[in-house]
Amino acid sequence: MTVLRLAGLVKRFGANPVLRGIDLTVERGERIAILGASGSGKSTLLRCINFMELPDEGRVEFGGQVVGSERDGRRRYAERELTQIRRQVGMVFQHFNLFPHMTALGNVMEGPLTVLGQDRVQAEARGRAELARVGLADKADAYPAHLSGGQKQRVAIARALAMDPALLLFDEPTSALDPALVGEVLGTIRALAEDGRTMLLVTHELGFAYHVASRVLFLADGLIHEQGTPAEVLKEPRQAATRAFIASHKQFSL
Amino acid sequence: MYRWDFAPVAAHLDLLAIGLFNTLRLTGAALAFGVALGLGLALMRLSRRPWAAWPAGLVIEVFRTTPPLVQLFWFYFAAPLVVGVEMTPYLAALVTFSIQSAAFFAEVFRAGIESIERGQWDAARALGMNRGQALRRIVLPQAVKRMIPAFMERAIELMKTTTLVATISYADLLFAANEVSQKTFRPLETYTAVALAYFTVIYGASLLARRIELRLARSGEGTVG
């Protein structure tokens, strides 16, 4: 079953094209790692998928439905429709973006409570279950300021999961973490992958991409420059740019 | 050497108490309306629609840049002539200070809302919240905490500014003081007592505000989540 299909996606910031025509189909259960140098459009691609940024050209199909309607040769998006899409797409941010005025449990309950309109009992049960899934059942009452970076990111993951998303987007989820805390977050994401969740993951952790992703995309200059299985892209890249990128990341590894 | 004698003033404490009550009533009501109206003005001014943003901006700027006494006279003396609405001194004062506070609070709200990191909006929207939900659940609760000092400062300022209503014969604390000093021929004692009353109320209120601030700070706010 196809979760997401992008066709000819273009995004410009002013005159500067960031995405120059992305075609991508995501099947259910796929785990796609997106690699690329900074400025290659990785984050913008994720943000166009849940319409935090509106694409300038191209189409997004979500769950078989084309998003937006075409008028005067331009695609128009109604805020109400985009809100509906975002409910089904979970996003995890580089800087966590937890709500500092709510406890860990409050953060995780917030979506079910406010967006899905669940009652408090139901939302709390769900919230506690998701916190337990990311190994933070005992931190339910802690405020974000009292959590480590790794714990914050795991709460953020639980917050996204509480919405039962059909698709999870991870935007460099470990880039803001101390090296010692990266492992716990990657472990959590890996467990989700093993559960069969559909996910797109922008990352610089090539080893993680190699072991967990089912497909790897390499973005350069706003285009998918190369894609394939992790072994194909990471071990035997065909494109010079991909080879250079991977070499630069391996430079200091043992 | 002047001989202080507070006994005549103490004999008229009931008048002063009524005056203090009237001052507090006016200040409290103007603050309440001011906050509600100010939030409305701030949201209008932050709106992307010019027909909402522009009038809000005009009201805010006019009331922030004209003297409160002029505004008061305008509502009390001019409004009946221009729009044909007759107002009691209390109503005129309430309208003036509500709108004036609203203009001030609108800017405080706006600064508070704009001080919230983009990531908070991002997280709220990514969960599927609409703008209203994000504002109500995520942005405003954080913004309001940051606004408390400005809010208190305004409340204090307002309580002192309401003394202007004595000019349109509203029986506030200062008006009562005037009356008492004329009856007792003890202006120094009367105004000293009144200053003490203002000091007690305002200082008490700021102590309370500081305690609220400390309690909110302990709940973990102040660090990026």
Side-chain angles (χ1 to χ4, degrees):
Chain A
M1 202 189 95
T2 303
V3 176
L4 176 77
R5 179 171 289 143
L6 308 178
L9 204 71
V10 171
K11 177 67 188 177
R12 297 180 205 92
F13 290 120
N16 177 31
V18 182
L19 300 176
R20 297 192 299 145
I22 301 280
D23 298 302
L24 177 67
T25 302
V26 181
E27 301 294 335
R28 190 152 91 184
E30 273 200 289
R31 307 171 301 279
I32 301 179
I34 303 171
L35 311 178
S38 61
S40 59
K42 305 175 306 255
S43 292
T44 306
L45 175 58
L46 285 197
R47 292 175 67 89
C48 280
I49 289 172
N50 68 350
F51 294 94
M52 305 283 278
E53 305 283 353
L54 296 184
D56 292 309
E57 287 170 37
R59 286 191 329 172
V60 179
E61 249 176 66
F62 191 82
Q65 298 279 317
V66 181
V67 183
S69 55
E70 190 138 329
R71 216 170 348 123
D72 311 327
R74 275 198 60 132
R75 192 150 281 283
R76 314 274 168 152
Y77 299 99
E79 191 56 34
R80 183 183 285 270
E81 185 185 13
L82 302 185
T83 303
Q84 284 298 332
I85 303 274
R86 292 189 199 113
R87 286 176 193 186
Q88 304 167 61
V89 179
M91 189 170 214
V92 175
F93 302 88
Q94 181 177 356
H95 295 286
F96 331 127
N97 299 349
L98 288 185
F99 306 133
H101 58 305
M102 298 178 182
T103 61
L105 179 62
N107 268 275
V108 182
M109 285 170 64
E110 187 53 28
L113 213 54
T114 301
V115 178
L116 302 180
Q118 290 180 6
D119 63 60
R120 206 152 252 292
V121 177
Q122 199 182 359
E124 182 175 337
R126 183 61 195 262
R128 289 193 186 278
E130 294 303 345
L131 279 178
R133 188 201 299 274
V134 300
L136 290 173
D138 57 327
K139 294 290 183 192
D141 297 323
Y143 281 90
H146 300 133
L147 298 174
S148 73
Q151 291 170 334
K152 283 183 198 175
Q153 194 59 298
R154 283 147 70 199
V155 171
I157 292 170
R159 177 174 68 180
L161 292 175
M163 294 292 288
D164 264 330
L167 174 66
L168 276 167
L169 308 176
F170 292 90
D171 190 3
E172 302 199 28
T174 58
S175 297
L177 294 176
D178 286 346
L181 303 176
V182 168
E184 60 183 86
V185 172
L186 291 182
T188 302
I189 299 173
R190 180 179 208 142
L192 298 177
E194 284 162 3
D195 273 359
R197 306 249 178 191
T198 313
M199 56 177 76
L200 266 71
L201 173 81
V202 169
T203 186
H204 292 287
E205 304 283 341
L206 298 195
F208 185 73
Y210 183 79
H211 291 292
V212 175
S214 56
R215 180 155 46 127
V216 175
L217 308 183
F218 177 71
L219 245 64
D221 295 325
L223 290 168
I224 297 178
H225 205 63
E226 180 163 358
Q227 63 175 308
T229 64
E232 284 166 354
V233 177
L234 295 169
K235 293 262 181 189
E236 288 152 18
R238 283 158 296 163
Q239 306 284 342
T242 320
R243 276 199 293 272
F245 175 81
I246 290 167
S248 74
H249 271 71
K250 280 185 179 164
Q251 206 168 6
F252 295 108
S253 63
L254 296 173
Chain B
M1 186 67 188
Y2 186 76
R3 288 193 38 185
W4 295 82
D5 181 8
F6 281 93
V9 178
H12 290 91
L13 264 187
D14 53 338
L15 271 179
L16 294 177
I18 292 171
L20 178 62
F21 171 77
N22 282 340
T23 289
L24 291 176
R25 181 169 74 138
L26 179 61
T27 306
L31 277 177
F33 283 119
V35 167
L37 207 61
L39 177 59
L41 282 175
L43 295 180
M44 280 172 74
R45 197 172 200 186
L46 286 169
S47 159
R48 268 160 269 153
R49 298 178 182 86
W51 54 260
W54 200 81
L58 185 72
V59 171
I60 291 168
E61 293 311 329
V62 166
F63 276 85
R64 265 165 28 113
T65 53
T66 50
L69 188 62
V70 174
Q71 297 165 9
L72 189 63
F73 281 2
W74 203 91
F75 278 107
Y76 189 59
F77 296 117
L81 302 175
V82 179
V83 264
V85 191
E86 205 65 52
M87 287 201 218
T88 63
Y90 175 70
L91 194 60
L94 181 60
V95 170
T96 306
F97 291 121
S98 294
I99 301 181
Q100 197 208 334
S101 304
F104 181 87
F105 284 131
E107 289 302 277
V108 176
F109 269 115
R110 186 168 72 125
I113 290 170
E114 284 177 342
S115 77
I116 302 301
E117 301 74 22
R118 244 198 88 75
Q120 293 291 305
W121 284 102
D122 277 359
R125 286 170 70 211
L127 277 180
M129 289 191 194
N130 58 38
R131 201 178 143 76
Q133 289 169 328
L135 205 59
R136 188 165 49 80
R137 297 287 306 171
I138 307 304
V139 174
L140 277 179
Q142 297 182 59
V144 164
K145 282 185 190 178
R146 298 180 189 181
M147 285 168 43
I148 289 173
F151 177 89
M152 277 316 297
E153 204 173 310
R154 174 63 199 170
I156 289 168
E157 201 53 49
L158 181 62
M159 186 164 166
K160 290 189 288 180
T161 311
T162 55
T163 51
L164 293 174
V165 296
T167 59
I168 58 168
S169 305
Y170 176 66
D172 79 326
L173 183 51
L174 198 70
F175 188 85
N178 199 22
E179 230 179 319
V180 171
S181 78
Q182 281 171 16
K183 278 185 184 165
T184 58
F185 302 105
R186 285 280 167 191
L188 279 186
E189 286 83 349
T190 311
Y191 287 111
T192 305
V194 163
L196 199 68
Y198 278 105
F199 171 82
T200 309
V201 171
I202 290 173
Y203 189 65
S206 46
L207 282 185
L208 189 72
R210 196 156 316 152
R211 281 185 58 171
I212 294 172
E213 259 177 82
L214 280 176
R215 251 186 58 186
L216 289 174
R218 265 206 299 275
S219 72
E221 160 73 331
T223 321
V224 177

